[in-house]
Amino acid sequence: MTNEKQLISRALVMCLADPSGNPRPRRVIELLSNSGFHVSVFSFEIKGNLKVAQSFVIQKPSGSILLKLTRLCVRLFSQIIPSFYIQNSINEFLFNLKTPDELAREKFELIVVENLEMLPLAIRLKKKNKSKVLFDAREFYPKEFENNLFFKILYSLFRRKLCRHFLPGCDSIITVSPGLAKGYREMFNIQTQVIRSVPNYISMTVNEVISNPIKMVHHGATNRDRKLENMIKIFEYLDSHFSLDFYLTNNDLVYKSELVRLASQYSQIRFYEAVSFSKIIPTLNQYDIGLYLLEPTGFNTKYSLPNKFFEFIQARLMVAIGPSPDMAELVQEYQCGIISESFTPKSMARLLNKLKPEEIMNFKTQSDKAAQVLCFEEESKKLKKNINSLLEKPQLL
């Protein structure tokens, strides 16, 4: 029995989220678990259906106004402290990143880190247990919210310091798009491997009914940086035989209410609550076009290659995007949609108005072909090879 236990690899996945509802860490956990790893998770409370061997819970910081102001004052104070290590200790305190005693006693062969703020703790655990650390750089963290003044003052410089100090201590770093990989290479001389945020393959037929009106859909976070209002403004120039449904999260209720007010003048636009992780692709499959006009408000939005883009394809939709370079490259390769000349609503409307039902159907058929390649079953082969190389044994087949 002892020998059997020694053969089982132990992995720890760390993330500042509930991984059951966060696609990227969820897929990593499922991949490791299905490959025979004993997987522990250090994260916010798991509320969805996700099986792990052990769960170490991080208490999510309170959202009360008083505590938010207190945290803001502490962050401002930390900026004048010359010691980076004291700054980091304050940062870990604010994120409640105190290592539970039970976790500290565990030994892991592999540690997967999903947030930059957790990387210093992971490196400490690595040194203690001689673990291998795989960092998932899902954003270009020094510029994640670069248009936000508070981010510039409170986070930007500190995040650059975190990257310079701790990225070299990682055994492997992955990211989500070629543009972000280039950013890490140019700013920190760090090589990363691109593992795209693709969903699992779903056997699904193409919905051959082209609706009247033609049904467009957009889903995701209510994030000001993404300028979602541009997709509403398309309707100033769009023919009447189009509709658009939004499935948005409630992370910014003020911005969401602004979007609802702006869209109120167009009867073709409707808003729905975000659906659960397992229902996203079946819900999308009811539509004709997945729409994402993402104006490049910063480095991360310019080189975005998001979950929703691949979920549109997996749902067998035609894709309509602006000239975002990393998304556009795949749309051109698989011929599964249209790319507007610019990020203006008028430019997108011009292309949409020209569409014929048979063209939409052809693009949906191309998405069906692309869905067989742009899925986690294919993309995970690179991740498996990466992890096998780190552990120097073919654990992941």
Side-chain angles (χ1 to χ4, degrees):
M1 188 70 176
T2 304
N3 290 335
E4 287 182 8
K5 286 185 176 180
Q6 289 175 346
L7 291 173
I8 299 175
S9 295
R10 302 174 68 85
L12 174 68
V13 177
M14 305 170 65
C15 66
L16 289 169
D18 170 4
S20 67
N22 197 304
R24 201 151 164 103
R26 181 189 180 103
R27 292 186 190 112
V28 170
I29 291 167
E30 290 176 340
L31 173 69
L32 293 171
S33 295
N34 292 337
S35 301
F37 276 79
H38 180 284
V39 182
S40 298
V41 177
F42 185 41
S43 70
F44 294 160
E45 182 183 358
I46 298 174
K47 296 182 178 179
N49 182 24
L50 182 64
K51 292 183 180 180
V52 297
Q54 288 176 293
S55 177
F56 302 99
V57 178
I58 302 168
Q59 292 302 315
K60 195 172 183 179
S62 170
S64 74
I65 294 176
L66 179 60
L67 282 175
K68 281 185 176 180
L69 289 173
T70 302
R71 288 162 58 83
L72 177 61
C73 291
V74 172
R75 283 204 178 278
L76 287 168
F77 172 73
S78 72
Q79 299 306 300
I80 64 174
I81 298 174
S83 169
F84 166 67
Y85 292 99
I86 294 177
Q87 287 181 345
N88 182 58
S89 296
I90 292 173
N91 189 62
E92 291 186 357
F93 169 76
L94 291 173
F95 279 103
N96 292 329
L97 291 179
K98 181 182 179 182
T99 312
D101 292 338
E102 299 89 342
L103 175 59
R105 288 194 291 267
E106 296 284 348
K107 291 187 177 182
F108 303 98
E109 290 182 70
L110 176 69
I111 301 174
V112 181
V113 188
E114 295 285 345
N115 295 84
L116 179 64
E117 292 83 1
M118 307 182 88
L119 194 52
L121 172 57
I123 297 299
R124 294 198 297 273
L125 291 173
K126 169 188 174 173
K127 292 177 179 178
K128 176 184 175 185
N129 300 321
K130 297 182 179 179
S131 309
K132 299 293 185 180
V133 170
L134 170 63
F135 177 50
D136 187 0
R138 297 180 292 167
E139 305 281 350
F140 188 71
Y141 286 103
K143 296 184 178 182
E144 187 174 6
F145 303 105
E146 59 187 305
N147 295 316
N148 185 299
L149 180 61
F150 283 113
F151 177 84
K152 287 184 176 180
I153 295 172
L154 300 178
Y155 294 95
S156 183
L157 179 59
F158 176 66
R159 285 190 173 188
R160 290 190 185 209
K161 290 179 181 178
L162 280 175
C163 287
R164 289 197 182 97
H165 278 79
F166 295 104
L167 290 183
C170 298
D171 298 283
S172 181
I173 301 174
I174 61 176
T175 191
V176 299
S177 76
L180 298 195
K182 182 181 178 183
Y184 280 107
R185 184 170 62 250
E186 292 182 348
M187 182 173 285
F188 302 108
N189 194 29
I190 291 291
Q191 297 298 320
T192 62
Q193 180 184 25
V194 175
I195 305 290
R196 294 175 290 203
S197 290
V198 292
N200 292 101
Y201 178 77
I202 297 178
S203 180
M204 178 179 286
T205 57
V206 177
N207 187 345
E208 296 187 7
V209 177
I210 305 300
S211 311
N212 188 10
I214 295 167
K215 295 168 63 178
M216 300 190 296
V217 65
H218 178 88
H219 71 290
T222 314
N223 188 328
R224 251 178 225 281
D225 261 7
R226 299 176 184 179
K227 301 197 76 171
L228 304 180
E229 61 270 18
N230 284 342
M231 288 183 282
I232 296 172
K233 292 176 182 178
I234 289 173
F235 281 78
E236 293 179 28
Y237 313 99
L238 204 58
D239 293 344
S240 59
H241 59 277
F242 285 90
S243 68
L244 173 61
D245 288 356
F246 284 101
Y247 292 84
L248 301 178
T249 61
N250 294 321
N251 53 296
D252 188 338
L253 289 173
V254 174
Y255 182 45
K256 188 173 182 179
S257 65
E258 291 173 12
L259 295 172
V260 172
R261 282 198 302 272
L262 179 62
S264 62
Q265 59 188 304
Y266 304 109
S267 60
Q268 309 100 303
I269 302 178
R270 296 173 297 185
F271 287 82
Y272 296 97
E273 291 300 314
V275 298
S276 64
F277 181 79
S278 62
K279 294 180 180 178
I280 290 174
I281 291 173
T283 300
L284 295 176
N285 182 248
Q286 305 169 44
Y287 292 85
D288 301 308
I289 300 173
L291 177 66
Y292 198 16
L293 188 61
L294 180 61
E295 184 176 332
T297 55
F299 188 88
N300 282 277
T301 49
K302 180 177 180 179
Y303 294 109
S304 178
L305 196 53
N307 293 290
K308 65 175 65 60
F309 172 79
F310 297 107
E311 288 161 353
F312 289 156
I313 291 172
Q314 196 60 228
R316 278 61 168 185
L317 303 186
M318 170 192 156
V319 178
I321 61 166
S324 302
D326 291 342
M327 282 191 273
E329 181 180 352
L330 291 174
V331 171
Q332 289 169 339
E333 179 180 351
Y334 292 98
Q335 293 295 297
C336 58
I338 58 173
I339 307 163
S340 59
E341 292 182 4
S342 72
F343 292 97
T344 64
K346 189 173 184 178
S347 175
M348 175 59 77
R350 188 182 300 118
L351 282 185
L352 289 171
N353 285 333
K354 292 179 181 178
L355 284 172
K356 299 176 181 178
E358 57 267 27
E359 291 177 306
I360 297 174
M361 191 60 221
N362 180 62
F363 286 132
K364 293 172 82 169
T365 301
Q366 289 299 112
S367 282
D368 183 41
K369 296 175 183 177
Q372 300 173 50
V373 180
L374 300 176
C375 60
F376 191 66
E377 285 77 4
E378 291 298 317
E379 196 72 8
S380 65
K381 292 176 183 177
K382 295 187 289 184
L383 183 57
K384 290 177 183 179
K385 185 176 180 180
N386 186 318
I387 295 173
N388 286 339
S389 177
L390 289 182
L391 300 181
E392 298 180 345
K393 58 182 178 180
Q395 177 80 30
L396 297 171
L397 301 177

